[in-house]
Amino acid sequence: MNVLVILIPVSLILGGMGIAAFLWTVRHNQYEDIEGDATRILFDDEEPKR
């Protein structure tokens, strides 16, 4: 039972940090252009060298 005194606050702190990180990414528009990033990797940026 004594271990619960430590594990419950630790799990709440870690969960709160995860929620805070998620909210930070949403506020800073990290999920704005998901499809653009997925298709951008398929195309070359440079012209082929001859």
Side-chain angles (χ1 to χ4, degrees):
M1 275 311 216
N2 290 337
V3 74
L4 291 178
V5 174
I6 295 171
L7 289 179
I8 290 175
V10 169
S11 66
L12 291 174
I13 290 170
L14 287 176
M17 288 172 40
I19 290 172
F22 173 73
L23 291 176
W24 182 84
T25 60
V26 169
R27 288 183 183 157
H28 290 276
N29 297 325
Q30 296 291 320
Y31 303 111
E32 189 172 302
D33 188 20
I34 295 174
E35 291 181 14
D37 291 336
T39 56
R40 193 176 309 131
I41 197 169
L42 298 174
F43 300 107
D44 290 334
D45 293 336
E46 305 174 356
E47 293 294 322
K49 296 181 181 179
R50 296 180 189 197

